[in-house]
Amino acid sequence: DGGITQSPKYLFRKEGQNVTLSCEQNLNHDAMYWYRQDPGQGLRLIYYSQIVNDFQKGDIAEGYSVSREKKESFPLTVTSAQKNPTAFYLCASSIGDRSEQYFGPGTRLTVT
Amino acid sequence: RKEVEQDPGPFNVPEGATVAFNCTYSNSASQSFFWYRQDCRKEPKLLMSVYSSGNEDGRFTAQLNRASQYISLLIRDSKLSDSATYLCVVNGDTGFQKLVFGTGTRLLVSP
């Protein structure tokens, strides 16, 4: 089955620790995206990548980093510099940068 | 003004009812429009794209009004399983497909 997987589903970390969220897709999509969703707010774009070995900052990139070494994978690192890291993180992909985006099941990160 | 605005609801309707949601967007250069459905604590799932001529998929009909900058979603013969939050999504730029998500309209369908 083709799709997007994210792991883990739930993640708990102590303040000051970096944490990496996994996102893998086998849809052969070129573009991949990371969003965060907070209660009562729309999804906000953190980073996106239109092609392997290239990525761009979204609207709220501060405190996050990404890599795109393989077409299938787009991991997101939440660093200790991110002031409010507790959120629902969603990874998405699309065929190109002008088509519908499809989402993975998300990772709920709680930092205490 | 928010880029994409939606009535948060909730819209409470009985099974079998017809319900409509509107969404307004601020960027007149937007080219792509979508409705996504999001169940509680789950990821958004694409419901339908919205084309200039409008489109229909079973019980769901989407319309675009470029002059007034709004899109609508009509659900006929509501089912209990339609209970969810419906997200209006618009692309914000004519270049890279940066999608701007509304905060969603919550629908509750009761027996």
Side-chain angles (χ1 to χ4, degrees):
Chain A
D1 286 337
I4 304 174
T5 57
Q6 291 185 244
S7 60
K9 190 172 182 179
Y10 298 95
L11 191 55
F12 298 87
R13 280 293 183 269
K14 295 288 187 186
E15 200 173 301
Q17 294 178 332
N18 292 354
V19 61
T20 297
L21 311 185
S22 166
C23 177
E24 305 277 332
Q25 54 97 0
N26 61 3
L27 300 167
N28 201 31
H29 285 176
D30 287 314
M32 296 187 74
Y33 314 81
W34 273 105
Y35 295 88
R36 70 177 273 170
Q37 187 175 34
D38 296 280
Q41 296 195 40
L43 276 68
R44 292 183 289 167
L45 181 65
I46 304 172
Y47 267 98
Y48 64 95
S49 168
Q50 295 171 273
I51 197 169
V52 174
N53 292 322
D54 185 53
F55 49 82
Q56 308 295 331
K57 291 181 180 180
D59 298 321
I60 55 165
E62 186 176 347
Y64 300 97
S65 65
V66 293
S67 63
R68 186 88 188 274
E69 297 175 2
K70 297 187 298 182
K71 187 175 186 178
E72 304 79 23
S73 179
F74 191 41
L76 173 76
T77 296
V78 184
T79 75
S80 56
Q82 168 48 233
K83 296 191 187 320
N84 297 296
T86 295
F88 185 35
Y89 289 87
L90 289 155
C91 178
S93 69
S94 63
I95 295 174
D97 61 5
R98 288 179 174 271
S99 55
E100 298 90 348
Q101 294 180 17
Y102 296 90
F103 287 84
T107 292
R108 289 196 180 273
L109 173 65
T110 302
V111 176
T112 57
Chain B
R1 183 185 172 186
K2 286 184 180 178
E3 289 187 77
V4 178
E5 292 202 65
Q6 296 183 253
D7 182 338
F11 284 57
N12 290 284
V13 302
E15 267 186 297
T18 295
V19 61
F21 311 133
N22 282 341
C23 158
T24 58
Y25 61 94
S26 60
N27 187 348
S28 59
S30 295
Q31 299 292 319
S32 305
F33 308 89
F34 309 95
W35 282 103
Y36 280 74
R37 170 200 168 119
Q38 186 172 26
D39 293 293
C40 188
R41 301 180 68 82
K42 300 282 190 181
E43 76 274 24
K45 293 187 177 177
L46 180 67
L47 182 64
M48 56 200 311
S49 302
V50 187
Y51 306 119
S52 295
S53 55
N55 50 308
E56 187 173 315
D57 183 2
R59 298 181 293 109
F60 300 84
T61 301
Q63 297 282 350
L64 168 63
N65 185 317
R66 285 191 185 274
S68 300
Q69 292 181 215
Y70 77 82
I71 67 174
S72 64
L73 177 67
L74 181 77
I75 305 175
R76 290 180 298 277
D77 189 22
S78 298
K79 311 289 184 193
L80 295 176
S81 57
D82 294 333
S83 296
T85 297
Y86 291 84
L87 308 179
C88 173
V89 184
V90 177
N91 85 301
D93 297 296
T94 54
F96 156 70
Q97 178 84 321
K98 176 192 165 186
L99 297 184
V100 181
F101 289 76
T103 53
T105 296
R106 191 166 174 218
L107 172 65
L108 298 173
V109 182
S110 55

